[in-house]
Structure formats: structure tokens, C-alpha cells
Amino acid sequence: MADAPALKNHTDESRIFFERVAVALGLLILFTLFLVLRLAYLQIIEHDKYATLSDENRIQVQSIPPIRGLIYDRNGKLLADNVPSYNLALVSERVENIDDTLNRLAELIDISEEEIRSFQGRLNRPRRPFEPVPLKFRLSPEEIARVSVNRYALPGVEIKAKLIRHYPEAKLMSHAVGSVRRINEEDVRDIDLVRYSGVDHIGKTGVEKFYEKDLLGQVGYQRVEVNARGRVMNVLSKTSPEPGKDLVLHLDTELQRAASNALGDRRGAVVAIDPASGGILAMVSKPSFDPNLFVSGISHRAYASLRDSIDTPLFNRASRGQYEPGSTIKPFIGLAGLASGVTNPEYTIEDPGFFKLPGNRRLYRDWNWTPSGTGGHGKVDFKKAIYRSCNVYFYELADKLGIERIHNYLTLFGFGQSTVLDIPDTRNGILPSPEWKQRIRGEAWYPGDTVNIGIGQGDMLVTPLQMAAAATTLANRGTWVAPRVLKEGSDLINRSTVPQLDDVDRIPDHVWDLLIESMEMVVHRGNQGFGENGTAWYYIGRDVPYRMAGKSGTAQVVGIEQGQEYDEELIMERNRKHAWFIAFAPVEKPEIALAVLVENGGGGSAVAGPVAREVIDAWLLDDSYNVAKRR
């Protein structure tokens, strides 16, 4: 007989059901209690923290970069301006995937690998949250249009309008004014990141570098309310930026142009100074470069072309080029001889074309010496030693003076040191001494070293800027004025620390009269017969309508063996002598002093002299340079 089916137990089922409901209700109550407690914790205990986080998402502090100060020449001509530029930037906090976004942008516009590397470097620097990071500068109208049309698919991508630096005179003023360049990793280690918040460029050379603090200005800020997409909905508060100071320089654009044109395509430098103020009127270094290329980021290929050029256009020859001064040092050696009583106006020598130290077989030759033994200047006094640039006279004078006395006198004119007030990275040159030679070379000083210094050869090196400053001191008859570029707009120049040279006021007036008269004869003494004209008379002095004092010089680049004559035609162009000329005019009341260097130019009077004449003519004779128009 089959078993009867079991009857359903409603009591057990009800009990199980209510037990399950009770458990579920208990869990629900626990979860609800947990949520209430959690909500209370977040709303009460953690209220300040999350309110702050909420505000940080909704309210942002954005930096407002200041407008960089402008730079003018002495006549109000703009040398450094700010022009609008549209830049492509990314706000990384709003970009879901940086690499994907970069790839999408590369499909729309041309973005180089170099620009991407630079962007990634800027992305990794310390910065404020939601601060845009520049990717590409100076977008074209077509590039702006392409990105704008696709903005809906590019969250975090912005097109920012900014003012960037522009140099209207481009190559003409690149070494004199300097330039700004984009802030790099090295700059980040040195600058105040708060002060440079939102700023992309920093002064790297010249005036732009020295007066960076004045030109930069003070960054501003604004607190803004943004929506979920990061769009600014409301400006809550704003602190306006302070623009940088405008600067006025002593530089004269048209004189700079005249000096550049006078140099032509030759390598070299011209520095012209106002003797009254020490203001630098012109500072040309050629070849030059366009500083605008560096503002928005120069390509690697373009930079390599400038960097690797044999003509070194990036190198400022005026303030950093170091050259033997050649015979341009003779007025200073002569001044030392006269002032110390080692020589006098009446003292004469018989110049056979060479000089020999006692007990020494070596010939220290005059510049007109020949292997046949001819040459020399015959009977030579102080004046003739200057206007004919007689080496033998200065060999003997240097030997009599001795290196210690020479060193002390040349120091008074700024040699061997940087004396300019506001040009950064200037070179000191070399003013050798026995101590210097022992320290640098571990060698003793010999009488022959002193003899070489007497004609500006050997170990002595100077910059064109130093020679112009020294010529200025001659023009001022011993009153020293430190060279400077700034005319007005900053007080940084007053805090500059440079050697304060003593005026050469212990030299009596009759010594200055004799020296300056001798330098006048370099230019103006002519038609006196063979061997009696001033070295520069034929080239620049025959029709000069004002009185100019000058001195030419040539500086050897390669040595010439004993018994061999210098033949320019047989020497490679870059091994030929450098040509120098220093001058000031008018002699009665000098308004301009200058130094000209032409690299591998050959004769100083023939090559550098005409350059100096053109520059002085432009300043003194051209109608656009009359005194009434010079501020």
C-alpha cells in the first residue's frame, strides 16, 4: 500500500517567512542606520573638508599674466613690443586621456615631435590646478578654425589669446636689446614659480635678461566659478596684474643701422658711447640673428643652423668676443710712460725696423719690417710713435715701464675686468701679470712678455666694449664713466655692483694734450711725404670736416716665424689679422667715442677706420642726428 502524501505545514512556513522578514528588516534598519550615521559624519564632522573640495571643483583661482614692459630707444622708437598671439593649450585636469587628445589634435593641425616634448616638459612642472599648459604657439587662422570646429570632441582643449614679444628691428638690435625665450627646465629651478604663474617667457639675453624683474611686472589672479565642463560661469573676485615697466635706452636705432651698414657683411663689432653719460649709443655684432625666432619656439633644425654656423651669429662679439688689442693699446702705454716720467715729448729713438732685448737674439719687429732688413721709421719721438704706430718705440717703452707699472695703469682704463653696468654675461678680457701667468700656466714671466704687451700682443685680450669704454676715458681726459644701456625706467642700474675705477686725474693736462694731439695726427696729418703721414689719413682723414682723434691697430691671429714676412694673400681668410680702430670726436668737446673690430679684416686704418668714420659722420653730420633731436 502506497504512502499517503505529506500534508503542508502552514505553521512552519509562516514561522520561516516571518523569520526571514525579520532578518531582512533588521538588515535594512542596520544599513539605514549606517547611511544616516555616514551622512551625519560627512555633513557634520567632515563638512569643512568636503565643502572645500566642492569649492575647488566649482571655484578656481586663475592666474592673469602681466603685460611685459616695452623697450624704446633714446628717440622713442619701439625696440621690443607685445603682439597678440593665439596659442593652443590643454587643461590636464579636464582631459580624459592626454595621448589620445594629442593624437586627435595632430590629425587636425601640424604638431611636431619637438612641440610635444616641450609640452610634456611643461606638463610635469609644478603649477596651479586647472592651469592651461601651452602646446602650440602662434596658431594660424586656419588652425584656429579647425580646432574650434572640433572643440565639442576635445574636452580640456583651449585656444588662448596672449600677448607675446616682438622685436620690430629683428637682427639689427638682437645683440644689443637681447631677447626672451620660453621658460625651460633650467629656468624652473631658479625662478619664483608663483611670480611666473601663467607666464611662458623669460628674458634670456641682453637688456631683456638684466632688467627682467622690471619688465616682467606682477601677476594677477581671479577667482571664478565654473560648470562641470570647466567653462567659466562667473568671476567672483579679481586682482588685476601690474604691467612691467617701460624702459628707455641710450641706444639710437639709426646710428645702430649706420654702424651695421658700415660693417656690411663682414664679421665684427662696433660699440659707440656718449662720453658725457657713458650711454651706449650703438652696439653691433655681426653676423646677427632674428630674435623673433626664439619667442614662440625655434625648430631644432633652425636652431642647429644658427648654433653650428662657422660665423657664430648667436655670439655677441661686442661684449663677449676677446681679441688681442694690437696697436690700439699704444695710447694707453704711451700715457703710462708720460705720466710716470719714463718717457717725455723730447725723447727720441732710432728705429731700424726691429728691437732686441739685451742678450737676446730674437727680433721684435716693426710692422714695416722686411726680410731684406729694410723698414723702420728712422728718428721717432712720442708723437710720431703714435701717428705712425711705431712698434719699436713701444717695445722699448714697455721694457722700461715694466709689467707691474703697465698693469696698474691699464687697470685704470677698465682692462681685465667687466665695468659695464647693465649688460649681462660680458667677458673680462685678460690683463696679464706675472701672478696671472704663474697661476694659469705655471710659468715665470719673461721680459719678452712685457715687450709684447707694449704693442697689444701676447696674452692680453680685450672686448670691443672694453676698448670703447677705454676710448671714452681718453675722450674725457681721464674721467671714468661706466658704460650703460639704460637711459631711464629702472633703478636696478643704481644697485649694480661693478668696479668703481678711479679717475685718471693724477695725469697732468700737458700729458693729455700731447697724447690727444698725437691721436689727432693719426687721422689729420697728411701730405707730409713718405713715411710721415698719419696711418689713417689716406683712408679717412683727407676730407673729414671735424677734428677726430683715433688709433688703428691690427692683431695677429696666427704667429709668423722669425725671418718670415706677413703676406696676407698667402694666409687663409680666417687666419688673417683682425682690424681695430678706436676714436672720439669732435676733439674739442667729444660727443661720441667708439671702437671698431673687423675680424680677419687686415689693416686697421684701411678696413676698420672707414667703418669708424661712417659711424661718426652719421652721428655728427647727418641732419637726423643734430643735437636738437638727440634726447
Side-chain angles (χ1 to χ4, degrees):
M1 180 176 176
D3 294 337
L7 296 176
K8 196 171 185 178
N9 191 333
H10 292 285
T11 301
D12 288 343
E13 288 183 355
S14 297
R15 180 179 55 79
I16 293 172
F17 172 75
F18 283 113
E19 287 178 354
R20 291 176 176 174
V21 169
V23 170
L25 183 60
L27 290 175
L28 181 61
I29 292 172
L30 287 175
F31 282 127
T32 301
L33 181 62
F34 173 79
L35 289 175
V36 170
L37 293 174
R38 179 62 178 170
L39 183 61
Y41 174 79
L42 294 176
Q43 289 286 352
I44 299 172
I45 298 176
E46 294 285 285
H47 173 268
D48 291 341
K49 173 183 176 181
Y50 288 99
T52 301
L53 290 175
S54 175
D55 284 343
E56 287 181 353
N57 289 330
R58 180 177 60 86
I59 299 174
Q60 299 175 9
V61 177
Q62 298 179 342
S63 57
I64 308 174
I67 298 175
R68 193 171 182 85
L70 305 179
I71 302 176
Y72 299 90
D73 82 345
R74 65 190 297 113
N75 298 311
K77 189 173 182 64
L78 202 54
L79 302 180
D81 193 8
N82 300 310
V83 297
S85 171
Y86 289 91
N87 306 329
L88 183 65
L90 274 66
V91 181
S92 60
E93 289 83 355
R94 300 181 194 145
V95 178
E96 293 180 2
N97 188 298
I98 294 288
D99 292 335
D100 288 347
T101 300
L102 291 175
N103 291 333
R104 290 181 187 177
L105 288 170
E107 294 173 358
L108 299 175
I109 61 175
D110 181 27
I111 300 176
S112 67
E113 292 294 329
E114 191 172 345
E115 288 173 324
I116 292 177
R117 285 195 299 271
S118 297
F119 164 78
Q120 290 171 338
R122 288 189 288 271
L123 188 65
N124 293 327
R125 296 174 193 161
R127 55 190 173 82
R128 289 179 174 275
F130 295 92
E131 183 176 318
V133 180
L135 169 62
K136 187 178 179 66
F137 296 84
R138 288 189 175 180
L139 297 179
S140 67
E142 182 180 351
E143 289 173 328
I144 293 173
R146 287 184 177 180
V147 174
S148 298
V149 168
N150 292 274
R151 281 282 299 279
Y152 71 93
L154 297 168
V157 174
E158 296 182 353
I159 295 175
K160 306 286 290 186
K162 280 194 172 184
L163 292 175
I164 63 170
R165 210 53 156 175
H166 176 67
Y167 301 97
E169 297 297 336
K171 289 184 176 182
L172 181 65
M173 288 288 185
S174 58
H175 289 294
V177 174
S179 65
V180 300
R181 299 179 189 178
R182 291 214 301 248
I183 294 173
N184 58 30
E185 296 296 332
E186 185 178 346
D187 298 322
V188 169
R189 292 193 292 267
D190 299 329
I191 63 176
D192 181 349
L193 295 178
V194 174
R195 190 173 185 202
Y196 280 84
S197 179
V199 177
D200 302 319
H201 296 83
I202 188 172
K204 282 296 184 72
T205 60
V207 173
E208 293 276 27
K209 178 179 180 179
F210 187 88
Y211 291 105
E212 170 68 16
K213 290 182 180 179
D214 288 313
L215 291 166
L216 175 62
Q218 189 69 40
V219 69
Y221 297 96
Q222 61 180 8
R223 294 177 68 250
V224 297
E225 187 176 8
V226 298
N227 61 17
R229 294 189 175 186
R231 179 173 296 177
V232 175
M233 304 302 294
N234 186 26
V235 177
L236 302 177
S237 63
K238 181 178 180 179
T239 301
S240 298
E242 296 180 14
K245 294 180 180 179
D246 295 343
L247 304 182
V248 178
L249 309 183
H250 283 283
L251 291 169
D252 187 290
T253 302
E254 296 311 314
L255 187 67
Q256 181 93 352
R257 199 182 314 279
S260 178
N261 292 341
L263 267 178
D265 294 330
R266 293 169 292 193
R267 300 182 304 279
V270 178
V271 180
I273 297 177
D274 171 17
S277 65
I280 297 175
L281 305 174
M283 187 170 72
V284 173
S285 174
K286 296 190 77 172
S288 188
F289 66 98
D290 185 353
N292 293 302
L293 297 173
F294 289 89
V295 175
S296 57
I298 189 171
S299 69
H300 179 75
R301 178 178 298 179
Y303 177 70
S305 176
L306 291 172
R307 180 196 61 204
D308 301 333
S309 170
I310 191 173
D311 293 326
T312 58
L314 296 176
F315 182 64
N316 187 350
R317 289 164 165 81
S319 64
R320 293 185 56 76
Q322 299 185 116
Y323 311 86
E324 293 180 352
S327 292
T328 56
I329 204 66
K330 290 176 181 175
F332 307 96
I333 299 293
L335 200 65
L338 292 171
S340 62
V342 172
T343 191
N344 59 65
E346 292 76 31
Y347 177 76
T348 62
I349 67 164
E350 193 65 36
D351 174 18
F354 61 88
F355 171 79
K356 291 173 62 176
L357 286 166
N360 194 321
R361 298 174 57 188
R362 177 177 175 178
L363 298 182
Y364 295 88
R365 303 177 302 195
D366 215 327
W367 59 267
N368 61 359
W369 176 88
T370 64
S372 64
T374 60
H377 294 94
K379 191 174 183 179
V380 179
D381 62 4
F382 183 87
K383 287 183 180 179
K384 187 174 179 178
I386 293 289
Y387 73 73
R388 289 301 297 164
S389 197
C390 175
N391 285 354
V392 173
Y393 187 98
F394 286 97
Y395 288 143
E396 180 182 302
L397 178 56
D399 184 47
K400 288 181 177 180
L401 279 167
I403 187 58
E404 294 296 340
R405 194 151 36 186
I406 290 174
H407 188 278
N408 291 339
Y409 271 93
L410 293 185
T411 298
L412 296 176
F413 291 92
F415 295 113
Q417 55 198 301
S418 177
T419 56
V420 68
L421 289 175
D422 55 358
I423 298 178
D425 305 321
T426 56
R427 301 291 293 274
N428 293 342
I430 296 175
L431 181 56
S433 66
E435 293 76 19
W436 172 87
K437 189 176 181 184
Q438 184 63 46
R439 185 179 71 254
I440 299 300
R441 296 185 178 175
E443 298 176 359
W445 187 269
Y446 298 104
D449 296 326
T450 305
V451 169
N452 280 329
I453 295 297
I455 64 163
Q457 302 286 359
D459 292 320
M460 185 174 184
L461 296 176
V462 299
T463 69
L465 181 56
Q466 284 178 318
M467 287 306 306
T472 300
T473 307
L474 292 180
N476 288 334
R477 291 175 171 252
T479 299
W480 169 261
V481 287
R484 67 204 68 201
V485 178
L486 182 75
K487 193 169 188 285
E488 57 188 61
S490 170
D491 64 351
L492 279 178
I493 195 170
N494 297 325
R495 301 196 298 271
S496 298
T497 55
V498 298
Q500 297 300 309
L501 304 183
D502 294 330
D503 292 350
V504 197
D505 53 9
R506 62 172 177 255
I507 298 177
D509 288 343
H510 72 270
V511 170
W512 288 110
D513 293 340
L514 177 62
L515 176 68
I516 293 173
E517 182 184 353
S518 303
M519 293 180 68
E520 281 187 84
M521 296 171 77
V522 170
V523 177
H524 297 281
R525 181 181 172 89
N527 293 324
Q528 304 294 320
F530 177 75
E532 292 296 329
N533 295 331
T535 56
W537 173 79
Y538 178 81
Y539 302 102
I540 65 173
R542 289 178 292 174
D543 60 348
V544 63
Y546 48 83
R547 300 298 290 182
M548 179 200 306
K551 185 67 190 78
S552 59
T554 55
Q556 285 186 191
V557 176
V558 293
I560 304 297
E561 293 183 7
Q562 286 282 302
Q564 297 295 314
E565 187 176 10
Y566 180 85
D567 188 342
E568 189 169 285
E569 298 301 323
L570 300 179
I571 298 177
M572 294 178 59
E573 189 268 341
R574 291 181 186 272
N575 288 334
R576 294 173 184 170
K577 295 178 180 179
H578 298 318
W580 278 102
F581 201 84
I582 62 172
F584 57 88
V587 169
E588 303 80 18
K589 188 177 180 181
E591 297 180 30
I592 184 172
L594 56 72
V596 175
L597 169 82
V598 181
E599 284 188 3
N600 311 116
S605 291
V607 177
V611 175
R613 168 75 190 273
E614 283 190 48
V615 176
I616 296 176
D617 280 358
W619 188 246
L620 298 180
L621 304 180
D622 193 303
D623 288 342
S624 63
Y625 294 98
N626 63 61
V627 176
K629 290 186 178 180
R630 283 188 232 137
R631 299 179 183 178

